[in-house]
Amino acid sequence: MSERTTVTVELGLDTFGDMTVGDDGSPKTGAQVIRDLVDQAVLADQVGVDFIGVGEHHRSDFAVSAPDVVLAGMATRTERIRLGSAVTVLSSDDPVRVFERFSTIDALSNGRAEVVLGRGSFTESFPLFGFDLRDYETLFAEKLDLFAKVLEEGPVTWQGSYRSPLVDQEVWPKTESGRLTTWIAVGGSPQSVVRAASYRIPLMLAIIGGPAQRFAPYADLYRRVLEESGAPQLPVAVHSPGHVAETDELAREQLYPHFKANRDRIGAERGWGPMALDEYHSEVTHGALYVGSPETVAQKIAATVRALKLDRFDLKYANGPMPHSQLMTSIELYGTQVIPRVRELLGD
């Protein structure tokens, strides 16, 4: 397989729209959190961040259940930043409607829309929209197959088991470029990596625990499948959580109570024990948490980009109920200091 001769990387941000608290510790409403998200996107646009992604959840600890609507709001107040999901839970949605919504965002934003498709790590959308969790895998496989057909932006003829067939059906609006930027998010399954390559859709690796280097075989597998099928090489990206503050100590101190609150709530639902402080520090030092001063975070991102030969790295900057003011500081430091330093380290 041919080696990349230059390293160029996009640097983005992701948020799930976690329910936050004010600077005084009082909880904010979901409506205010959503308004704050738009302000965060505006700041990210101003400080040079390449992309911002908004997640989809249907539970009380996250404010965003309709990321495409939030992204449309962001599109009207930003100028250059790319706007996408993180992720769109395709298994419990309709592929035609997903394309229509994101091609509409693409129009509003002058071609800046992206959709990141995934199965999601939460399952609340399945009973909410009338799907059986026993069909978890087959739903995604079939709906991805249909979405890939719609993505070609021509007449669609398709038949499956979970929706009515389509015969020479056009889907509107088309994008001006002729192709909606699309990614498939993968949590670490070789089968999912191969599937992304087989559809010739860029790969997004969600790395939320452990060292990023252990995912290098998945990136290599993706590139190898593309090469063996005669397809051109396509972008590979990573999504990981983190937080930037003026110093390493302040970043760790600010994030810990909020990250632990989020982690422990999910852990209680899934049978994990509470997160200990030493586990947190281990993830910061050796694992998937990109936490620290701009220099520390930039060094760790650059190392990940080199190890996996990435085209994009997205920092999940919102983790638990951290106040909006701290999130804004993290975004500003990421754009003004982390991004230039990463590119300097990589020699772009």
Side-chain angles (χ1 to χ4, degrees):
M1 182 168 59
S2 60
E3 292 295 324
R4 295 171 59 186
T5 56
T6 60
V7 178
T8 56
V9 62
E10 293 185 344
L11 294 156
L13 293 168
D14 288 337
T15 175
F16 291 169
D18 305 58
M19 292 294 290
T20 58
V21 297
D23 291 331
D24 62 357
S26 60
K28 288 193 172 184
T29 65
Q32 185 58 55
V33 170
I34 289 171
R35 291 190 288 268
D36 287 346
L37 283 178
V38 178
D39 289 340
Q40 290 160 22
V42 170
L43 176 60
D45 186 45
Q46 293 169 347
V47 298
V49 178
D50 294 317
F51 169 85
I52 188 163
V54 180
E56 173 193 345
H57 295 85
H58 303 270
R59 44 186 289 137
S60 62
D61 42 347
F62 300 106
V64 181
S65 59
D68 45 286
V69 179
V70 178
L71 292 166
M74 291 175 173
T76 64
R77 290 191 53 198
T78 56
E79 296 179 358
R80 44 156 299 280
I81 194 169
R82 297 191 63 80
L83 307 161
S85 54
V87 300
T88 294
V89 184
L90 188 64
S91 308
S92 55
D93 212 328
D94 183 83
V96 173
R97 291 294 289 141
V98 170
F99 179 87
E100 290 176 336
R101 296 196 299 262
F102 278 87
S103 63
T104 300
I105 298 168
D106 202 60
L108 285 170
S109 64
N110 291 309
R112 292 183 284 131
E114 302 187 3
V115 60
V116 183
L117 306 172
R119 287 177 288 187
S121 59
F122 295 88
T123 59
E124 287 83 1
S125 64
F126 284 79
L128 182 63
F129 298 121
F131 294 101
D132 192 329
L133 266 175
R134 290 174 296 185
D135 299 326
Y136 182 82
E137 173 61 33
T138 54
L139 275 168
F140 183 75
E142 180 172 301
K143 293 189 176 194
L144 178 60
D145 187 64
L146 173 55
F147 190 89
K149 294 284 195 304
V150 177
L151 197 58
E152 296 172 5
E153 301 200 22
V156 177
T157 297
W158 179 93
Q159 185 169 349
S161 302
Y162 296 100
R163 73 175 323 277
S164 57
L166 299 174
V167 179
D168 290 332
Q169 178 68 56
E170 295 279 2
V171 180
W172 310 99
K174 312 294 186 183
T175 63
E176 289 181 314
S177 69
R179 180 78 175 187
L180 176 66
T181 300
T182 302
W183 302 75
I184 294 179
V186 171
S189 158
Q191 294 81 5
S192 296
V193 171
V194 170
R195 176 162 53 200
S198 70
Y199 282 107
R200 300 187 180 185
I201 294 176
L203 177 70
M204 175 77 69
L205 293 166
I207 304 178
I208 58 174
Q213 290 75 8
R214 69 190 178 94
F215 280 76
Y218 296 107
D220 292 342
L221 172 63
Y222 177 75
R223 296 184 179 109
R224 187 168 66 251
V225 172
L226 286 174
E227 185 176 55
E228 291 174 353
S229 66
Q233 289 300 308
L234 296 170
V236 176
V238 158
H239 148 110
S240 286
H243 176 61
V244 191
E246 288 80 2
T247 67
D248 290 347
E249 294 75 14
L250 181 60
R252 291 188 185 218
E253 178 185 327
Q254 286 181 340
L255 180 61
Y256 177 66
H258 307 297
F259 190 84
K260 176 176 171 58
N262 181 56
R263 164 67 167 72
D264 288 356
R265 172 169 179 164
I266 296 169
E269 298 169 359
R270 301 183 180 184
W272 309 336
M275 184 177 201
L277 184 59
D278 59 348
E279 180 186 352
Y280 169 74
H281 285 305
S282 177
E283 276 297 321
V284 172
T285 304
H286 305 293
L289 278 176
Y290 292 71
V291 178
S293 67
E295 178 66 20
T296 295
V297 173
Q299 290 280 355
K300 191 168 183 177
I301 290 174
T304 299
V305 170
R306 290 191 198 100
L308 276 67
K309 303 181 181 68
L310 297 179
D311 299 275
R312 188 163 93 196
F313 179 92
D314 290 344
L315 182 76
K316 181 177 173 288
Y317 69 93
N319 303 279
M322 178 177 281
H324 172 62
S325 60
Q326 292 179 9
L327 296 174
M328 292 288 272
T329 299
S330 184
I331 292 168
E332 183 172 9
L333 291 171
Y334 185 75
T336 61
Q337 297 188 39
V338 174
I339 287 177
R341 181 60 175 144
V342 170
R343 290 185 172 141
E344 181 182 26
L345 289 166
L346 295 173
D348 278 2

